[in-house]
Amino acid sequence: MLINVPETVVADGLRGMAAAHPELTVDVENRVVVRRDAPVAGKVALVSGGGSGHEPLHAGFVGPGMLSAACPGEVFTSPVPDQMVRAAAAVDSGAGVLFVVKNYTGDVLNFEMAAELADEEGVQVAQVLVNDDVAVTDSLFTAGRRGTGATLFVEKIAGAAAEEGAPLDRVAALARQVNEASRSFGVALTSVTTPAKGSPTFDLPPGELELGVGIHGEPGRERRPMMTSREIADFAVDAVLEDLRPRGPVIALVNGMGATPLLELYGFNAEVQRVLSERGVVVARTLVGNYVTSLDMAGCSVTLCQVDEELVRLWDAPVQTPALRWGR
Amino acid sequence: MLDARFFHRWMSTTAASVDREAARLTELDSAIGDADHGSNLQRGFTAVSAALDKEPPQTPGAVLVLAGRQLISTVGGASGPLYGTLLRRTGKALGDAPAVTAGELARALGEGVAAVAQLGGAQAGDKTMLDALLPAVEALATSFEAGADAARAGALATVPLQARKGRASYLGERSIGHQDPGATSAALLIAALAETAAAAGGDA
């Protein structure tokens, strides 16, 4: 691992991020990353956060057209309420703040506490819960579906609406619409090693893969002998489509888990597009790359979001962040 | 009677115990979670000890409220809010009495545990920290030692259970056969209470 000591991994990363991105205000001590021009007068602010180890999520998405602030927690551990309260105070222009929360018990509890505290400080807060991972059975007997790739769609599209001056209830409604229109499925070719543990967090023998893996190495639906890119695309896309059943075009995110080369991801995207075409699904836009990662895990995920013209327009709107920038 | 110093020692003893057992908690967590329970609690209780040593609160309730606030501010994950709420609500239930009886502590802890159940939406048998805390609260009415034994037994009894809350729930049936890390750390907290009482000479 390219680290000094496990205890300073998050802080070290933030110091490096500050050095690379003068357009962001990085509070290393309190672990809050804020766009430098915040608060933007009259604009609804978006604050997200979650455990570190999924970079560029979330701090890499801070900037005009997307997040106002991000709160990175310890590796694979949700941030603490103090961070979100501090972030909300830094970015609120008076127009309110939307918390984008991935559905994990820790994130939900900490953001809930933060929302109460921010509310007490006079900040109007709305929350959207992202839960797009179809690998998990959404039942009373689990913590519910996990939030993964759809987080990027929610942050981009709701962020664009906020940048255009939409009010908090509209931004929150759009964020929920995007989440409900999105589904994901992930596959691990290797396990993942956290700095604190120093060895793989789950046991995945070479020559096998985990279908339906979570972005913290949580297990999925089943384990199988290694499959080809073509076979994985068939399995992953069908798992998503079985649940989403889109009646219109989609935006596709073909996402790397961290250790899979871009060459392989593009090859995988070719297979994803093939399956979608075979299933009669029209792809309006495609994004390929490492966006919602799991440290050093090899593997990929597919996220589809059913869109209408308005969502495509907001997707195409200018964005200026470390990890996503286009337009303008 | 149990005074603020007793509660301070309970927290310090817990911190030492979490330090000692951190690797084991993380190991248990790597089987059915994400391999960070030990390091997260270690960071939290180190902060608790530092805050209590810096400005020792004057009442039992204030000790626990401060400890809970520190955990919420430093642990993150689900453990931060859950353990933080446990201590804060227990502390609030103790009010501002300068000293409390063992019975009052057991009742207050019962309120803290109920708050944890409400926050996390879990109940007995879901393979969570409640599986150690609920029997402990009941047994604490008898003695600290009985409470610690019940918590330990409760943690062990999570092995055959299927997780229904938290990250381990994603495993479904594959969570069976592993001891719950949260129940294990909860048992450490109650064991530290018994240890503190024993060191105080059993006159608590």
Side-chain angles (χ1 to χ4, degrees):
Chain A
M1 259 182 258
L2 182 61
I3 64 170
N4 293 317
V5 291
E7 291 75 16
T8 64
V9 166
V10 176
D12 291 347
L14 285 175
R15 285 192 294 117
M17 190 160 199
H21 296 286
E23 72 277 18
L24 302 177
T25 303
V26 180
D27 182 341
V28 177
E29 193 193 341
N30 295 301
R31 298 190 177 184
V32 178
V33 179
V34 181
R35 58 185 270 188
R36 191 169 280 286
D37 60 354
V40 179
K43 181 184 142 347
V44 168
L46 271 75
V47 172
S48 192
S52 293
H54 309 301
E55 291 68 22
L57 189 82
H58 294 272
F61 299 142
V62 174
M66 218 163 164
L67 293 179
S68 311
C71 307
E74 281 296 316
V75 171
F76 290 0
T77 301
S78 88
V80 300
D82 310 46
Q83 289 170 265
M84 286 78 97
V85 171
R86 190 178 286 268
V91 298
D92 182 35
S93 68
V97 178
L98 177 67
F99 283 172
V100 180
V101 186
K102 301 196 297 305
N103 188 34
Y104 299 95
T105 308
D107 294 76
V108 171
L109 295 181
N110 283 285
F111 270 98
E112 187 60 43
M113 290 196 155
E116 280 173 31
L117 293 169
D119 184 67
E120 284 169 19
E121 291 182 10
V123 179
Q124 195 188 352
V125 176
Q127 295 194 61
V128 57
L129 200 61
V130 183
N131 58 346
D132 53 310
D133 186 350
V134 300
V136 178
T137 314
D138 192 6
S139 78
L140 290 174
F141 305 113
T142 67
R145 285 186 165 169
R146 304 176 289 233
T148 60
T151 315
L152 183 151
F153 290 153
V154 169
E155 292 175 359
K156 172 65 186 79
I157 290 172
E163 204 70 44
E164 291 179 353
L168 181 59
D169 55 352
R170 169 72 182 141
V171 175
L174 256 175
R176 288 186 194 106
Q177 182 193 342
V178 171
N179 176 58
E180 277 159 27
S182 301
R183 301 285 191 283
S184 294
F185 192 86
V187 177
L189 309 187
T190 68
S191 182
V192 51
T193 299
T194 60
K197 183 148 186 282
S199 56
T201 58
F202 67 102
D203 184 38
L204 183 59
E208 290 185 26
L209 46 74
E210 177 88 29
L211 293 165
V213 77
I215 54 172
H216 310 90
E218 306 97 319
R221 289 186 183 175
E222 57 181 302
R223 194 164 281 189
R224 284 197 188 175
M226 193 56 69
M227 295 155 69
T228 62
S229 179
R230 163 178 286 265
E231 290 164 340
I232 294 171
D234 283 333
F235 194 98
V237 172
D238 280 340
V240 169
L241 290 180
E242 191 178 303
D243 212 277
L244 184 61
R245 302 177 192 282
R247 293 179 307 279
V250 299
I251 300 178
L253 167 64
V254 172
N255 173 64
M257 291 295 194
T260 290
L262 210 46
L263 176 64
E264 293 177 24
L265 281 183
Y266 272 108
F268 179 64
N269 180 49
E271 298 296 344
V272 167
Q273 303 287 329
R274 172 191 54 79
V275 192
L276 287 169
S277 164
E278 286 171 8
R279 303 288 185 269
V281 178
V282 176
V283 181
R285 299 288 184 274
T286 300
L287 182 66
V288 179
N290 294 287
Y291 292 104
V292 183
T293 61
S294 183
L295 292 172
D296 65 340
M297 182 191 286
C300 58
S301 64
V302 176
T303 305
L304 300 180
C305 174
Q306 185 187 322
V307 289
D308 55 20
E309 277 180 23
E310 173 66 357
L311 293 192
V312 174
R313 188 185 69 75
L314 290 167
W315 175 258
D316 287 341
V319 59
Q320 301 288 324
T321 70
L324 221 54
R325 52 177 68 215
W326 59 65
R328 200 167 282 175
Chain B
M1 294 289 275
L2 312 172
D3 60 10
R5 281 178 306 169
F6 175 91
F7 282 80
H8 191 150
R9 280 199 298 276
W10 174 22
M11 292 298 106
S12 310
T13 306
T14 305
S17 167
V18 166
D19 260 342
R20 226 170 24 241
E21 300 288 329
R24 182 165 152 264
L25 292 174
T26 289
E27 194 57 43
L28 291 173
D29 193 31
S30 86
I32 57 171
D34 57 353
D36 61 9
H37 191 54
S39 45
N40 285 345
L41 278 191
Q42 205 171 11
R43 185 174 61 250
F45 276 99
T46 301
V48 167
S49 284
L52 292 177
D53 291 346
K54 190 176 163 204
E55 232 174 290
Q58 298 306 303
T59 65
V63 170
L64 294 188
V65 168
L66 177 61
R69 186 74 193 98
Q70 285 297 311
L71 292 179
I72 290 170
S73 294
T74 56
V75 176
S79 309
L82 291 171
Y83 270 108
T85 296
L86 174 67
L87 296 185
R88 260 168 53 91
R89 290 295 282 274
T90 303
K92 284 190 172 179
L94 290 174
D96 50 12
V100 299
T101 66
E104 284 166 342
L105 169 56
R107 274 193 298 281
L109 199 60
E111 287 189 33
V113 172
V116 168
Q118 199 194 357
L119 181 64
Q123 47 193 6
D126 283 348
K127 200 178 182 104
T128 71
M129 57 198 283
L130 289 179
D131 291 318
L133 292 174
L134 289 168
V137 165
E138 202 163 308
L140 278 173
T142 313
S143 73
F144 287 120
E145 200 47 52
D149 288 344
R152 217 167 3 245
L156 280 174
T158 62
V159 173
L161 298 177
Q162 177 172 337
R164 292 185 168 190
K165 288 288 167 189
R167 208 163 263 170
S169 71
Y170 303 131
L171 281 157
E173 287 179 3
R174 285 198 261 175
S175 63
I176 293 171
H178 298 279
Q179 185 171 327
D180 182 62
T184 308
S185 58
L188 292 180
L189 177 72
I190 306 300
L193 175 60
E195 196 183 317
T196 307
D203 60 349

